[in-house]
Amino acid sequence: NAGVTQTPKFRILKIGQSMTLQCAQDMNHNYMYWYRQDPGMGLKLIYYSVGAGITDKGEVPNGYNVSRSTTEDFPLRLELAAPSQTSVYFCASKVAGGSEQFFGPGTRLTVL
Amino acid sequence: AQTVTQSQPEMSVQEAETVTLSCTYDTSESDYYLFWYKQPPSRQMILVIRQEAYKQQNATENRFSVNFQKAAKSFSLKISDSQLGDAAMYFCAYRGLTGGGADGLTFGKGTHLIIQP
């Protein structure tokens, strides 16, 4: 099992550009999550999904969109990138009924 | 909304000694999970230990143990026989159960643990 994978590892965007951060898991987990980690801070929840076709907002959803068309994939879309979105983005997944979330390696995004 | 507070931005300990990292949280829920995650420079999030609130017994995992005080809403992590590989950021995290188990984690700001050789 590859676990939770994220691409790209690093990305630099210009203000106003858009991009999609990819997340995939091969553990057949129903629940998936996106977090962001700003420098010197803990992770904050952006969006989450309990299954294909079902998504919901977390604590900091503004400026982001998500979709979940398959169990495996949970992409995060940034529209009109802003410097405030400079952060490290983590994807995580969890089996329904389980307690542990499994994290991907993260994507470091810089918006200049 | 739940909050998690880690009051120690940085802690330093001699190799082979014991160190305790503090965490307090605020919640109105009676059942929930608490976690300690380790984040080394590679930035990978690694689960160290978890505690179910309904369990009175403190969780232990080898050299790692917790002191869970539910009434005080306190959840500290004790690392015994500290090793150089323990150097990392440590995050305390909370997960409630109001979302049917789908709730995301609420994290503290972290404690940077330094191990002195």
Side-chain angles (χ1 to χ4, degrees), chain A residues 22-81:
Chain A
Q22 301 292 344
C23 173
Q25 52 89 14
D26 61 358
M27 298 174 282
N28 202 31
H29 287 173
N30 290 97
Y31 297 168
M32 295 187 75
Y33 306 84
W34 274 106
Y35 295 88
R36 61 178 285 174
Q37 183 181 25
D38 298 331
M41 302 291 286
L43 283 66
K44 292 188 176 181
L45 183 66
I46 306 171
Y47 270 97
Y48 68 98
S49 169
V50 299
I54 306 170
T55 62
D56 208 347
K57 295 177 181 178
E59 183 183 357
V60 289
N62 291 346
Y64 307 94
N65 280 301
V66 293
S67 59
R68 183 104 179 265
S69 57
T70 68
T71 298
E72 294 78 19
D73 300 296
F74 189 40
L76 177 71
R77 178 81 176 166
L78 279 73
E79 305 282 2
L80 297 175

Side-chain angles (χ1 to χ4, degrees), chain B residues 13-100:
Chain B
V13 64
Q14 291 289 126
E15 194 176 1
E17 297 294 308
T18 295
V19 64
T20 299
L21 308 184
S22 301
C23 172
T24 59
Y25 58 95
D26 188 25
T27 183
S28 58
E29 297 178 289
S30 59
D31 202 10
Y32 46 86
Y33 286 95
L34 294 164
F35 305 85
W36 279 98
Y37 278 88
K38 172 184 178 181
Q39 187 179 45
S42 67
R43 77 171 180 239
Q44 180 68 48
M45 296 294 288
I46 302 165
L47 179 64
V48 174
I49 198 165
R50 86 194 81 187
Q51 175 81 41
E52 293 94 332
Y54 67 87
K55 289 187 177 179
Q56 294 198 350
Q57 186 172 5
N58 289 324
T60 61
E61 289 286 344
N62 301 315
R63 297 183 295 108
F64 298 88
S65 61
V66 299
N67 183 3
F68 173 50
Q69 302 288 330
K70 190 173 183 179
K73 296 179 181 173
S74 171
F75 183 60
S76 61
L77 174 69
K78 185 172 84 171
I79 305 174
S80 303
D81 185 26
S82 298
Q83 301 175 0
L84 294 177
D86 295 333
M89 285 293 292
Y90 285 82
F91 291 97
C92 179
Y94 169 100
R95 181 168 77 81
L97 296 175
T98 55

Side-chain angles (χ1 to χ4, degrees), chain A residues 9-21:
Chain A
K9 285 187 169 54
F10 304 93
R11 182 73 185 266
I12 298 175
L13 280 182
K14 293 182 179 178
I15 294 172
Q17 287 185 320
S18 59
M19 76 164 293
T20 299
L21 280 66

